[in-house]
Amino acid sequence: MRDRPSITDVAAHAGVSIKTVSRVVNAEASVLPATRARVDLSISELGYVPNSSARTLKSGVGDAVGVVIDTIADPFFAALVSVIETRALAEDMGVLFASTGFDEGRERDQLLRLAGQQVRGIILAPVAQDHGYLERYRASTPIVMVDRPRDTFDSVVVDDIRATRAAIDQFVRLGHTRIAFIGFDARFSTTTHRYEGYRQALAEHGIPLDHTLAPQAAAEVTDAKVATLGLFGLASPPTAIFAANPRAGIGVVDALHTTGHTGVAVISFGDFAFASVIRPAVSYIDQDPFHIGNAAIERLITLINEPGTQRKRIVLDTNLVARGSGEIRATA
Amino acid sequence: MRDRPSITDVAAHAGVSIKTVSRVVNAEASVLPATRARVDLSISELGYVPNSSARTLKSGVGDAVGVVIDTIADPFFAALVSVIETRALAEDMGVLFASTGFDEGRERDQLLRLAGQQVRGIILAPVAQDHGYLERYRASTPIVMVDRPRDTFDSVVVDDIRATRAAIDQFVRLGHTRIAFIGFDARFSTTTHRYEGYRQALAEHGIPLDHTLAPQAAAEVTDAKVATLGLFGLASPPTAIFAANPRAGIGVVDALHTTGHTGVAVISFGDFAFASVIRPAVSYIDQDPFHIGNAAIERLITLINEPGTQRKRIVLDTNLVARGSGEIRATA
DNA sequence: ATGCCCCTTGACAACGTTGTCTCATGGGCT
DNA sequence: AGCCCATGAGACAACGTTGTCAAGGGGCAT
């Protein structure tokens, strides 16, 4: 099991000093073309790859950004990570990816592990409320929060309250008064905010809040499906349903199609695969992970290159995309 | 911008030597409980996190595995990476993630970058046919191929030919003779094999191969949709469609539902979100990314812990999952 | 011809960590 | 009382790289 060649091996092979090899590898000036050619040849003959640990150790800064999210299996986060990687690569950085599984302890472990890896910066979909323990590392490792804001950090979010209000407003304009809210989860500030938007919109239109229309803990596909099915056992079932996240949206639509209630109006927060294929196609609030990821990585790169930049909360616009299901009128 | 505390700072703070701190951090024996306690206190007071670059440099082995895939935005790969991370974390390793975007040059760059990062091992969904340039690193960095086998490497795959034959057989049993194949892409050995399975099954049943039923380059959602729409312009359109991958499946179903051809039988290679919600629900060949990912990371860990293990190709079973669309009989 | 400067190259230290070796202390044995 | 050994702890080198400084040589201006 021969060891990997190091810069020393290359230097010996090319008959130069290690410093010269270093200069060639880093494309520094002041190396004679002939020397450079000789070194390049040795590099490719030996299959030399610079050891990034040694570089990182010497320079103090790593060559990767960290991305910490709930789970990569969620298409929203997968898309987020995808754009982040593309942009990071353009800056010659890799992506160290870590999932929290919604667990505060694990979030902490993962963040500290990334700190130990000397990542250049971190993009985090936060779980815990308080990240005081990160204070020590912030100076050297900028952090951008995504999806859920945290006041003492930079963040990239959408205006959940406003977007939800717009959706509920549309339902009301179409004559709906029995409007359900599926997908609440107290753990996430996002769904909490969306619920707040729902509450505000109803209040504004003088529609009394009916708690049976907003079941708790229905943020996952199956829970949302079950909760939706439950709604049709009510004396007065809803004529419109707001799904607070894409997974809830899938559950809701599954329930509606299984039971033939396809005349119920539906708007989902966030698009999902197939939402456009189903009939009626599902209207949704556009919370584009590509935009969010892009804004986050751009912000992070700014913070990396210009430390001391003023903290900022970036709020991205959302659109209500009409595809049919959200434009169904209330039946008289 | 104060620097991160190093082991030296902790040692000074606790009044011991750096070696003792190292012993405490690595939970080695032969440190007095009192000393250990003092060091632990200093560690938490200073917020010390061991520098993983220095560790990696000293020990020669990193603390991450590399995962190189087409794109993380593909739900199949997202799920794959998800299980890999879970298992890696249990071994105290992180995941360095890199995408190829189907580009051979980029695949090479990414792999060499990972080699430079001293990853413990690599899981790769290969693009290029030849990875001779990896020979140098294989001894120290085991590699497991997923999804598409490469003869000189360990791999974890499913039997594409057999699985596809089973699907086509089912179509034939149900009376279909006009069977389309959507989702071919010459770049991927998977779809090439699936096409081979299609060809074999037809030949076996004495059904002539009609090239107009197997359009090229339809592996993406939109292409598959367009290709499917095109099929219905034929004098004799298909009564059954095999979608060679989930994205093609989405495109096919979209086309069928848009044009009202919901009586056409469909089987998709690989499940996709919502395939169970649509009516009829889409039958599919179960190519579970969790199983594949799990087999791959287990294999990789074995190779890491027991170098020199005999090379092996792991072929996972697939099931044809009946959900309705694949069980539609040919209309007489 | 001499001196100067620039261009190329190299020697050496240092980054933070751990492996190896050494040393000091103290308890148990003869 | 003296010796040995086990145990705890530290000094030092080394991993591969790059920053700093120095040195050698050639060309140009004087």
Side-chain angles (χ1 to χ4, degrees):
Chain A
M1 186 143 55
R2 234 178 70 270
D3 263 2
R4 304 259 182 95
S6 78
I7 198 171
T8 316
D9 303 314
V10 177
H13 189 269
V16 298
S17 76
I18 57 169
K19 184 63 210 190
T20 299
V21 178
S22 169
R23 277 190 260 261
V24 170
V25 170
N26 294 290
E28 287 174 28
S30 85
V31 178
L32 283 184
T35 313
R36 186 181 300 277
R38 200 145 37 90
V39 172
D40 276 332
L41 186 66
S42 296
I43 287 177
S44 70
E45 269 184 29
L46 298 177
Y48 166 71
V49 178
N51 182 322
S52 109
S53 314
R55 272 192 178 173
T56 299
L57 175 59
K58 184 70 174 89
S59 65
V61 295
D63 50 5
V65 295
V67 180
V68 184
I69 57 177
D70 300 347
T71 163
I72 190 71
D74 182 330
F76 174 81
F77 286 117
L80 195 82
V81 172
S82 181
V83 288
I84 291 171
E85 195 227 2
T86 304
R87 187 67 176 80
L89 207 57
E91 299 281 320
D92 252 310
M93 296 188 294
V95 173
L96 255 164
F97 144 78
S99 70
T100 62
F102 317 116
D103 184 274
E104 293 197 15
R106 181 161 161 188
E107 176 187 55
R108 189 174 202 279
D109 292 345
Q110 296 273 38
L111 286 168
L112 292 180
R113 225 171 37 74
L114 290 181
Q117 313 240 30
Q118 318 295 113
V119 293
R120 295 284 293 278
I122 292 176
I123 291 177
L124 168 65
V127 177
Q129 287 303 323
D130 178 42
H131 295 84
Y133 62 92
L134 289 178
E135 288 305 324
R136 300 190 153 96
Y137 314 107
R138 288 181 68 174
S140 45
T141 310
I143 301 176
V144 174
M145 302 287 184
V146 288
D147 201 37
R148 307 153 208 144
R150 291 294 181 270
D151 284 339
T152 56
F153 289 86
D154 281 75
S155 32
V156 176
V157 294
V158 298
D159 189 334
D160 289 300
I161 297 184
R162 196 150 73 106
T164 306
R165 285 179 55 160
I168 306 299
D169 280 350
Q170 168 159 320
F171 280 151
V172 174
R173 268 201 310 283
L174 294 168
H176 298 279
T177 55
R178 298 290 293 165
I179 303 170
F181 182 100
I182 300 286
F184 184 82
D185 189 323
R187 294 176 301 172
F188 303 127
S189 58
T190 43
T191 57
T192 319
H193 288 146
R194 290 165 198 172
Y195 182 74
E196 175 60 18
Y198 168 75
R199 207 193 52 69
Q200 285 182 12
L202 291 184
E204 206 163 82
H205 293 290
I207 300 173
L209 189 61
D210 178 348
H211 290 289
T212 58
L213 290 181
Q216 301 286 304
E220 300 308 320
V221 175
T222 311
D223 300 330
K225 180 175 179 180
V226 170
T228 305
L229 293 174
L231 293 177
F232 292 99
L234 297 176
S236 168
T239 60
I241 301 180
F242 179 79
N245 72 52
R247 296 186 305 286
I250 293 174
V252 167
V253 174
D254 190 352
L256 295 181
H257 281 251
T258 306
T259 57
H261 287 100
T262 49
V264 174
V266 174
I267 294 177
S268 165
F269 205 116
D271 196 13
F272 46 89
F274 240 71
S276 62
V277 176
I278 211 103
R279 300 297 153 212
V282 180
S283 300
Y284 68 104
I285 293 167
D286 171 34
Q287 175 206 27
D288 188 341
F290 289 92
H291 284 152
I292 297 176
N294 217 54
I297 183 67
E298 287 300 342
R299 182 68 188 154
L300 189 66
I301 288 171
T302 303
L303 291 173
I304 289 171
N305 294 333
E306 301 159 28
T309 305
Q310 183 76 35
R311 185 154 60 235
K312 194 163 143 191
R313 176 186 296 206
I314 298 172
V315 180
L316 296 179
D317 278 341
T318 55
N319 293 310
L320 181 49
V321 180
R323 272 200 297 215
S325 75
E327 291 68 41
I328 297 175
R329 309 199 84 84
T331 45
Chain B
M1 185 142 56
R2 234 178 69 270
D3 264 2
R4 304 261 183 94
S6 79
I7 199 171
T8 316
D9 302 314
V10 177
H13 189 268
V16 298
S17 77
I18 57 170
K19 182 64 212 189
T20 299
V21 178
S22 170
R23 278 190 261 260
V24 171
V25 170
N26 294 292
E28 288 176 28
S30 86
V31 177
L32 282 185
T35 314
R36 186 180 299 278
R38 203 145 36 89
V39 172
D40 277 332
L41 186 66
S42 295
I43 286 175
S44 71
E45 270 185 28
L46 297 178
Y48 167 71
V49 178
N51 183 323
S52 109
S53 314
R55 271 191 180 178
T56 298
L57 174 60
K58 184 72 174 91
S59 65
V61 295
D63 51 5
V65 295
V67 181
V68 183
I69 58 178
D70 300 348
T71 164
I72 190 72
D74 182 330
F76 174 81
F77 287 116
L80 195 83
V81 172
S82 181
V83 290
I84 291 172
E85 195 228 2
T86 304
R87 185 68 178 80
L89 207 58
E91 299 280 322
D92 251 311
M93 297 188 293
V95 173
L96 254 164
F97 144 79
S99 70
T100 63
F102 317 116
D103 183 275
E104 293 197 17
R106 181 161 160 186
E107 176 187 55
R108 189 173 202 279
D109 292 345
Q110 296 275 38
L111 286 168
L112 292 181
R113 225 172 36 74
L114 290 181
Q117 313 241 28
Q118 316 296 117
V119 293
R120 295 285 293 278
I122 293 177
I123 291 177
L124 167 65
V127 177
Q129 287 302 323
D130 179 41
H131 295 85
Y133 61 94
L134 289 178
E135 287 307 324
R136 302 191 151 95
Y137 314 107
R138 288 180 68 173
S140 45
T141 311
I143 300 177
V144 174
M145 301 287 182
V146 288
D147 201 39
R148 306 155 210 145
R150 290 294 181 271
D151 284 338
T152 56
F153 289 87
D154 282 75
S155 34
V156 176
V157 293
V158 298
D159 189 334
D160 289 299
I161 296 184
R162 195 151 73 107
T164 304
R165 285 178 55 159
I168 305 299
D169 280 349
Q170 167 158 323
F171 280 151
V172 174
R173 269 200 310 283
L174 292 169
H176 296 280
T177 54
R178 297 290 293 165
I179 303 170
F181 182 99
I182 301 286
F184 183 82
D185 189 323
R187 294 176 302 171
F188 302 127
S189 57
T190 44
T191 56
T192 318
H193 288 146
R194 291 168 198 169
Y195 181 75
E196 175 60 19
Y198 167 77
R199 206 192 53 72
Q200 286 182 11
L202 290 185
E204 206 163 82
H205 292 290
I207 300 174
L209 188 60
D210 178 350
H211 290 289
T212 58
L213 290 180
Q216 302 286 305
E220 300 307 320
V221 175
T222 310
D223 300 330
K225 181 174 178 179
V226 171
T228 305
L229 293 175
L231 293 177
F232 292 99
L234 296 177
S236 168
T239 60
I241 301 179
F242 179 77
N245 72 51
R247 298 186 303 285
I250 293 174
V252 167
V253 174
D254 190 350
L256 295 181
H257 280 252
T258 305
T259 57
H261 288 100
T262 49
V264 173
V266 174
I267 294 178
S268 164
F269 205 116
D271 196 13
F272 47 88
F274 240 72
S276 62
V277 175
I278 211 101
R279 299 299 157 218
V282 180
S283 300
Y284 68 104
I285 294 168
D286 171 33
Q287 174 204 29
D288 190 341
F290 288 93
H291 284 152
I292 297 177
N294 216 55
I297 182 70
E298 289 300 343
R299 182 68 189 154
L300 189 66
I301 289 172
T302 303
L303 291 174
I304 290 171
N305 295 333
E306 301 159 28
T309 304
Q310 182 76 38
R311 184 153 62 233
K312 195 165 143 189
R313 176 187 296 206
I314 298 172
V315 180
L316 298 179
D317 278 341
T318 55
N319 293 310
L320 181 51
V321 180
R323 273 199 299 216
S325 74
E327 291 69 42
I328 297 175
R329 309 199 84 83
T331 46

